[in-house]
């Protein structure tokens, strides 16, 4: 009976649409839409309740340092700029450490390049497996040649398996990549070293200016004291 009941064509029940007079309000809200809207509403309501509770139990004497290090910008708290967080000496030390790290990486890449180059050089200069035969006359040479052709003696390069060839090609690609990386590291190292030297020169010039500014008022004061002593004398 169940199979006969399923065989009968049934009417497809469609969801009720929005009446014509209420078309201006958009689509008719279904139960699943109401459930989602209700969940969102209650979630916002719970958030507001928690914030009110937190504000009610707030300690008026509460203090933490971000209260004085932050400013209100467009209704949001933002920390002040920390551009001058480090002293010039600390910045110089950090740049020195960066230079040391780049130099260490450059030396490591160069060592790897040397190992790869030595390995590929040994692979390229492998001794040939072909034998050299010495014949007394032309007849013997022809006999040796026919014998070698009959044995199908192949050159050494054709005896290399395809897997080894692929590994060798990958090693050459790695070698080129490491060489380009070393050249980039050398450029970065030179730029950073130049910036460091320029910063040293600026600091020394500022130091000289500061010393001169300190010495000039003393000279003026000593000159004034000598003049006054002469007048009294």
């Amino acid at each position: 009976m169940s199979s006969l009941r399923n065989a009968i064509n049934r009417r497809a029940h469609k969801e009720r649409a929005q009446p014509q007079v209420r078309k201006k309000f958009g689509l008719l809200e279904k139960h699943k839409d109401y459930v989602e809207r209700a969940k969102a509403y209650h979630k916002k309501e719970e958030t507001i309740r928690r914030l009110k509770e937190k504000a009610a139990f707030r300690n008026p004497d509460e203090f933490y340092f971000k209260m004085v290090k932050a400013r209100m910008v467009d209704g949001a708290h933002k920390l002040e700029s920390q551009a001058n967080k480090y002293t010039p000496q600390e910045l110089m030390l950090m740049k020195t450490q960066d230079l040391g790290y780049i130099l260490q990486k450059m030396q490591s890449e160069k060592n790897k390049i040397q190992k790869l180059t030595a390995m590929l050089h040994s692979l390229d200069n492998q001794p040939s497996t072909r034998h050299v035969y010495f014949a007394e006359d032309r007849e013997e040479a022809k006999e040796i040649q026919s014998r070698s052709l009959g044995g199908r003696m192949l050159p050494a390069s054709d005896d290399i398996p395809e897997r080894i060839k692929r590994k060798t090609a990958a090693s050459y690609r790695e070698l080129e990549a490491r060489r380009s990386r070393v050249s980039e590291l050398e450029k970065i190292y030179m730029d950073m070293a130049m910036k460091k030297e320029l910063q040293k020169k600026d600091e020394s010039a500022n130091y000289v200016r500061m010393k001169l500014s300190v010495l000039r008022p003393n000279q003026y004061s000593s000159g004034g004291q000598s003049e006054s002593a002469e007048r009294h004398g």
Side-chain angles (χ1 to χ4, degrees), residues 47-59 62:
T47 304
I48 292 171
R49 186 191 66 78
R50 287 180 182 176
L51 289 173
K52 285 182 178 179
E53 183 180 355
K54 191 181 289 186
F57 290 101
R58 184 180 65 85
N59 182 11
E62 180 183 6

Side-chain angles (χ1 to χ4, degrees), residues 12 23 42 68 127 153:
K23 286 287 185 182
H42 289 303
V68 295
M153 296 177 64

Side-chain angles (χ1 to χ4, degrees), residues 49-232:
R49 186 191 66 78
R50 287 180 182 176
L51 289 173
K52 285 182 178 179
E53 183 180 355
K54 191 181 289 186
F57 290 101
R58 184 180 65 85
N59 182 11
D61 297 329
E62 180 183 6
F63 174 77
Y64 52 96
F65 285 101
K66 281 192 178 180
M67 289 181 176
V68 295
K69 291 184 178 180
R71 295 288 180 269
M72 187 73 74
V73 179
D74 296 332
H77 287 279
K78 290 189 177 180
L79 292 175
E80 292 180 347
S81 176
Q82 297 181 353
N84 299 324
K85 183 179 179 181
Y86 302 103
T87 61
Q89 289 77 15
E90 290 174 344
L91 290 172
M92 183 70 70
L93 179 61
M94 285 190 285
K95 287 184 178 180
T96 306
Q97 291 174 351
D98 293 341
L99 279 171
Y101 175 75
I102 290 173
L103 186 61
Q104 179 186 359
K105 293 297 292 182
M106 193 163 56
Q107 292 295 333
S108 175
E109 291 292 334
K110 286 182 178 179
N111 292 335
K112 291 177 182 178
I113 286 172
Q114 288 179 358
K115 289 181 181 178
L116 271 174
T117 307
M119 184 187 70
L120 293 172
H121 183 70
S122 64
L123 285 175
D124 291 339
N125 293 335
Q126 281 184 351
S128 176
T129 57
R130 292 179 296 178
H131 296 281
V132 179
Y133 297 95
F134 296 94
E136 295 291 338
D137 51 8
R138 292 186 179 180
E139 296 294 332
E140 190 176 356
K142 287 180 181 179
E143 184 181 355
I144 293 172
Q145 187 177 5
S146 61
R147 217 172 4 174
S148 63
L149 291 175
R152 295 181 180 178
M153 296 177 64
L154 298 174
S157 60
D158 294 339
D159 294 336
I160 301 175
E162 192 66 28
R163 177 173 56 86
I164 303 298
K165 290 181 179 179
R166 286 199 298 269
K167 284 188 177 181
T168 306
S171 298
Y172 274 111
R173 288 195 296 270
E174 183 183 356
L175 181 63
E176 291 299 324
R178 290 192 182 279
R179 282 176 177 170
S180 62
R181 196 176 304 148
V182 165
S183 63
E184 291 175 1
L185 286 172
E186 286 177 350
K187 289 179 183 177
I188 294 171
Y189 180 80
M190 294 298 294
D191 292 341
M192 292 183 69
M194 189 179 296
K195 288 179 181 178
K196 183 182 175 183
E197 292 298 325
L198 290 174
Q199 188 174 1
K200 281 183 179 179
K201 290 180 180 179
D202 292 341
E203 286 184 358
S204 61
N206 292 333
Y207 179 75
V208 171
R209 290 194 199 98
M210 184 179 67
K211 292 293 287 183
L212 289 174
S213 63
V214 171
L215 290 173
R216 281 171 184 169
N218 295 335
Q219 291 175 357
Y220 294 151
S221 61
S222 62
Q225 289 176 0
S226 63
E227 289 177 1
S228 60
E230 289 176 359
R231 289 173 184 175
H232 286 299

